[in-house]
Amino acid sequence: MANYFVPATSIVYAISLALYVWYLYAPRIAVGYGATLCLAAGLALHYLALLQRSRMIHAVPYDDLAGSLSLFAWLLAATYLALELWHRQRTVGAFVLPVVLAVFLIAHRAAGSPVTPAPAKGPIFAFHVTLNILAYAAFALSFVTSLIYLMQNRLLRGRKLGAIGWRFPALDVLERVSRSSVGVGLVSLAIGVCLGFVWAHRLFGGYWHGDWKVFVTLVILAAYLAYWVLSRTGTWRGARASRLCVANFLLVIFSYSIVNLYLSRFHRFF
Amino acid sequence: MELVLIGLNHRTATVELRERVAFSAEQARTAASQLRERGILEETLVLSTCNRSELYGVPPEEAGNSVADLEGFLASFHQLPLHELNQNLYRHRDREVVRHLYRVAGGLDSMLLGEAEILGQVREAYRAALDCGATGPVLNRVFQGALEVGKRVRAETDIGTRPMSVAFAGVKLAERIFGSLKDHRALILGAGEVSEQVVDHLGDRGIAALRMANRTPERAKELARRVGAEVVAWEHLDRALDWPDMIVTSVASPEAVLTRAMLAQAMEARGNRALFVIDLGVPRNVEAGASELYNLYLYNIDDLREIVEQNKKARQAEVPRAEAIIEEHVEKFFVWRAGVDTNEVLKSLRERLTEEREIFLRERLAATPHLGEAERAQMSALLDDFLNRVLLDPAERLRGERELRRKLQNLEALRDLFRLDQRKP
């Protein structure tokens, strides 16, 4: 059975991306609203696509790489939409939507191989996985805003703002969005990891099994905690903290790809 | 329903002449009222700013040379010789009137391309004319369109976004760093003219707190009193540097007023929170090496001038997009007017044919005295039915015509062939 929500979601996300880029170039109010509405519609369709896929494979979305990536893209889009509405700042959309769309497309291109459901089930396990993916989505958002910060900082220091520099959000706003995303990510990851330990104890009778995934996740937690603390200190505040945030996200990508696929023993795709 | 406009602006007239032809609010009301009383215009609106004086109007249908009447009125109202005024005036009719007004509202006809003030002035002039009943359906439509154009041009193009003065560029740059200035503080060193402009802009953008320091304390006190700032003693300057998020300096001094060491110390004291320094002094007031300090953004007068130059070019590049919006709305207005025209023309045509039917019946029935009242009434009703049937299809086609040019041509043909305009009193 074909999942028609996948192409529909791709099209709506692509339209939303086009509108965000258009908005960045020519900030028309109607275009901005259109971009946001398309993103909201894309989120709804994306949700239905996840639901449909879960029904088709009789597994939760995070049981395989495709579902896990797709859920990541959905949470990233949802987190971004919430922050856009909170900060009333649309210019970042043109940079977040390509990530959402790319991850979504990769996820659904990768889908196909049969899924073996994970041995673990239940609400604690579901929260463990979902909160960890939410954390990664929030870190992805902070990565994008940190990148924009570095670009804007470079333009300002070079004294050549050009067309784009006048449209980027202020450095202060970018710094705050980045910090708040990391805050959301840290809380989600901390709770997610704790729930993971609880589940591991239930499943194997112990908390620690020397899995690479757990180790790398704890390193990520420590790295973002370091960012959280350092970004408020005189030496690190500003561009240095943004560079640290970008570097931290490389760890997230490492965990999500190499560790998930080749190093982890019982963490599969999340 | 023809539109006319005469006026002069910064391009066609000297400031002396513009001053003599300017209208105060009271004069604008009087002029609008006189123009209608004298039968020169049916609807009228006076737009007068420091750079332009313009009379917009809709003359009565039977009016002859309404533009000449307007010129005469303008000359007599301001007691100027007509020949002196004539060579500085521009005159527009119909489509050009609408296009001109939309360009004015969009800031394309302003001395400073894309300036925002003009839209407020157009709104104010329209409100004043509306309040005194000087406008009618046509001018209401044109001016409501102009306000929409003004808003769209500013929202959808960059023509008004980028700062065009050194002072405003500095403040806008501060917003690129801090976002809203409502939680930030500024220290002003020196009390030069550009500094004053910066202070005014900072006030407009809601800066949280201002402090000033000047070698001559009296001048600083005077400016500080005007803008509600605190005065800092010049001797305590080095201690005052960790307080602001933004420093604007324009001091006449042969050597640097703010050294790298002073600013490094200030940055350390403020925990490296971003500091924006605008150096308007010539020679420069801030040691060049200070720009290397972490989280310190230093712009001198040349940097700001270069930004203003880039912005001027960028605004110029936005003109075609603004023109496209204007053309869209000009077309929209004429579509609306053609719709109004269609109803008027069809109404006139029906009246004309009804009159012809009366004459025809009178003539024919006079020759047939043997017909009774009932037969005459039946013939009259039959002719009514026939008229309705003949007019139904062309009326529907005319109303449904989507191509504006063709619609206007058809309306013109009807007016011409049935001599509809000549029927009007």
Side-chain angles (χ1 to χ4, degrees):
Chain A
M1 197 170 91
N3 188 346
Y4 294 112
F5 291 115
V6 173
T9 307
S10 312
I11 291 167
V12 175
Y13 274 155
I15 295 170
S16 178
L17 169 61
L19 290 172
Y20 274 117
V21 172
W22 186 4
Y23 182 78
L24 191 66
Y25 174 67
R28 297 184 183 185
I29 300 160
V31 175
Y33 280 133
T36 306
L37 279 175
C38 281
L39 177 57
L43 270 169
L45 286 167
H46 192 159
Y47 174 77
L48 293 172
L50 282 168
L51 197 66
Q52 175 87 339
R53 187 163 184 279
S54 292
R55 283 182 180 157
M56 280 156 64
I57 61 172
H58 305 291
V60 283
Y62 44 75
D63 256 350
D64 64 343
L65 178 64
S68 170
L69 281 173
S70 188
L71 185 62
F72 168 82
W74 189 80
L75 287 168
L76 174 60
T79 314
Y80 166 70
L81 184 63
L83 285 176
E84 179 192 297
L85 296 174
W86 180 256
H87 290 286
R88 295 180 178 277
Q89 179 58 258
R90 283 201 173 88
T91 40
V92 181
F95 302 90
V96 177
L97 259 287
V99 182
V100 172
L101 188 59
V103 175
F104 178 78
L105 289 174
I106 290 167
H108 288 274
R109 272 185 75 85
S113 52
V115 175
T116 317
K121 281 193 174 86
I124 291 182
F125 182 71
F127 272 117
H128 160 63
V129 177
T130 312
L131 285 173
N132 281 4
I133 297 178
L134 173 63
Y136 292 149
F139 292 150
L141 194 59
S142 71
F143 166 72
V144 173
T145 47
S146 295
L147 271 184
I148 303 174
Y149 182 99
L150 291 171
M151 283 157 70
Q152 175 77 321
N153 185 56
R154 198 184 168 89
L155 292 171
L156 278 164
R157 289 192 81 83
R159 302 177 186 94
K160 284 187 170 54
L161 266 80
I164 204 88
W166 289 107
R167 293 205 185 93
F168 273 154
L171 291 179
D172 197 47
V173 174
L174 288 164
E175 204 171 13
R176 277 190 284 123
V177 173
S178 183
R179 258 191 226 150
S180 53
S181 308
V182 169
V184 170
L186 275 175
V187 172
S188 305
L189 194 62
I191 299 172
V193 166
C194 288
L195 292 176
F197 282 131
V198 169
W199 186 254
H201 188 260
R202 275 189 191 179
L203 209 61
F204 311 113
Y207 291 105
W208 183 258
H209 290 274
D211 189 45
W212 269 93
K213 177 72 180 178
V214 181
F215 176 70
V216 174
T217 305
L218 290 175
V219 171
I220 290 173
L221 195 62
Y224 275 100
L225 201 60
Y227 164 84
W228 180 258
V229 175
L230 290 174
S231 64
R232 285 168 165 74
T233 63
T235 315
W236 282 84
R237 157 179 295 133
R240 285 177 194 147
S242 295
R243 280 191 206 104
L244 179 62
C245 194
V246 170
N248 285 353
F249 194 69
L250 297 179
L251 269 178
V252 173
I253 294 171
F254 172 69
S255 165
Y256 216 86
S257 54
I258 307 288
V259 175
N260 274 343
L261 293 171
Y262 305 112
L263 300 176
S264 180
R265 280 185 292 148
F266 42 81
H267 285 90
R268 297 188 318 177
F269 302 115
F270 34 79
Chain B
M1 280 211 297
E2 190 195 33
L3 279 156
V4 290
L5 154 69
I6 66 163
L8 44 80
N9 64 15
H10 55 279
R11 271 193 277 272
T12 65
T14 59
V15 68
E16 290 77 21
L17 184 60
R18 295 204 304 275
E19 279 167 3
R20 289 166 72 191
V21 184
F23 290 84
S24 66
E26 186 52 44
Q27 281 177 319
R29 268 194 295 276
T30 310
S33 147
Q34 286 181 3
L35 280 164
R36 282 178 302 135
E37 277 166 15
R38 293 182 195 178
I40 299 172
L41 295 173
E42 273 181 351
E43 297 181 28
T44 181
L45 190 147
V46 180
L47 175 64
S48 185
T49 70
C50 52
N51 279 332
R52 68 183 67 246
S53 287
E54 293 176 337
L55 295 177
Y56 291 84
V58 179
E61 293 286 345
E62 73 278 10
N65 190 352
S66 49
V67 168
D69 293 344
L70 273 176
E71 288 168 7
F73 173 83
L74 191 61
S76 71
F77 192 89
H78 289 292
Q79 296 166 344
L80 285 164
L82 189 57
H83 64 88
E84 190 186 334
L85 197 59
N86 263 347
Q87 56 201 0
N88 297 288
L89 283 177
Y90 42 80
R91 305 148 183 89
H92 295 307
R93 283 178 184 278
D94 242 17
R95 187 172 282 266
E96 286 312 309
V97 175
V98 182
R99 185 173 288 126
H100 176 85
L101 174 63
Y102 288 2
R103 283 177 57 82
V104 169
L108 267 64
D109 200 52
S110 297
M111 192 183 268
L112 193 66
L113 183 66
E115 58 116 345
E117 258 175 81
I118 187 66
L119 185 59
Q121 288 164 331
V122 170
R123 186 181 289 115
E124 201 43 54
Y126 173 53
R127 193 174 295 150
L130 194 67
D131 286 348
C132 68
T135 59
V138 180
L139 280 189
N140 284 343
R141 188 82 186 187
V142 182
F143 273 82
Q144 281 160 11
L147 298 179
E148 206 183 325
V149 166
K151 270 193 257 173
R152 274 194 66 192
V153 165
R154 280 163 188 86
E156 296 175 19
T157 73
D158 268 353
I159 207 150
T161 52
R162 300 209 208 166
M164 297 281 269
S165 70
V166 164
F168 196 38
V171 175
K172 290 290 269 184
L173 277 168
E175 287 182 333
R176 294 295 88 211
I177 297 167
F178 304 117
S180 166
L181 298 180
K182 286 176 182 157
D183 301 321
H184 293 87
R185 305 177 291 207
L187 172 67
I188 314 295
L189 305 180
E193 194 186 326
V194 188
S195 292
E196 251 187 277
Q197 289 170 15
V198 175
V199 167
D200 287 340
H201 285 302
L202 286 173
D204 292 344
R205 314 300 276 192
I207 189 93
L210 271 173
R211 282 184 185 171
M212 315 197 84
N214 196 39
R215 279 186 171 145
T216 325
E218 288 71 32
R219 177 80 183 107
K221 278 178 190 162
E222 188 189 320
L223 186 58
R225 203 178 309 118
R226 187 171 72 76
V227 296
E230 287 174 41
V231 177
V232 177
W234 187 260
E235 302 75 47
H236 302 145
L237 188 59
D238 49 348
R239 275 183 274 159
L241 293 180
D242 58 340
W243 177 82
D245 302 302
M246 180 177 175
I247 300 173
V248 182
T249 166
S250 64
V251 181
S253 165
E255 68 271 346
V257 175
L258 299 176
T259 61
R260 184 191 157 105
M262 286 166 84
L263 287 167
Q265 199 181 347
M267 288 304 287
E268 199 184 330
R270 52 189 280 107
N272 266 344
R273 277 183 290 110
L275 177 64
F276 181 41
V277 182
I278 302 179
D279 181 359
L280 301 169
V282 179
R284 283 176 292 175
N285 295 161
V286 183
E287 212 172 69
S291 65
E292 290 156 15
L293 292 171
Y294 185 63
N295 273 351
L296 186 140
Y297 301 87
L298 172 64
Y299 280 70
N300 64 35
I301 188 92
D302 285 349
D303 299 327
L304 293 175
R305 276 189 191 137
E306 199 184 321
I307 285 173
V308 167
E309 276 312 307
Q310 285 169 8
N311 290 352
K312 277 182 187 164
K313 285 179 195 155
R315 281 195 183 203
Q316 204 60 46
E318 291 294 292
V319 169
R321 286 172 60 204
E323 295 277 16
I325 293 171
I326 287 166
E327 283 311 309
E328 186 188 321
H329 280 264
V330 170
E331 214 54 41
K332 215 166 156 182
F333 171 77
F334 281 96
V335 167
W336 170 81
R337 204 180 75 168
V340 176
D341 276 355
T342 307
N343 290 336
E344 277 186 9
V345 166
L346 288 172
K347 192 175 156 208
S348 303
L349 182 64
R350 179 172 290 278
E351 284 169 1
R352 176 79 191 216
L353 293 178
T354 307
E355 278 172 20
E356 290 296 331
R357 187 208 67 157
E358 290 295 326
I359 296 164
F360 176 81
L361 267 180
R362 216 169 26 244
E363 285 171 3
R364 290 292 183 274
L365 293 180
T368 54
H370 58 280
L371 289 177
E373 275 306 310
E375 286 159 323
R376 286 166 187 262
Q378 197 179 359
M379 279 181 74
S380 175
L382 276 173
L383 276 175
D384 277 344
D385 282 352
F386 176 72
L387 259 185
N388 285 338
R389 182 175 289 191
V390 166
L391 283 176
L392 185 66
D393 187 43
E396 278 180 2
R397 281 172 50 201
L398 200 56
R399 285 198 181 100
E401 179 60 62
R402 286 176 172 221
E403 199 193 326
L404 183 62
R405 184 183 293 274
R406 193 172 160 77
K407 191 170 194 167
L408 291 173
Q409 279 171 349
N410 288 342
L411 289 172
E412 207 46 50
L414 278 177
R415 277 200 198 101
D416 192 32
L417 293 173
F418 289 91
R419 297 178 182 177
L420 300 180
D421 291 341
Q422 293 173 18
R423 291 180 58 255
K424 292 193 175 167

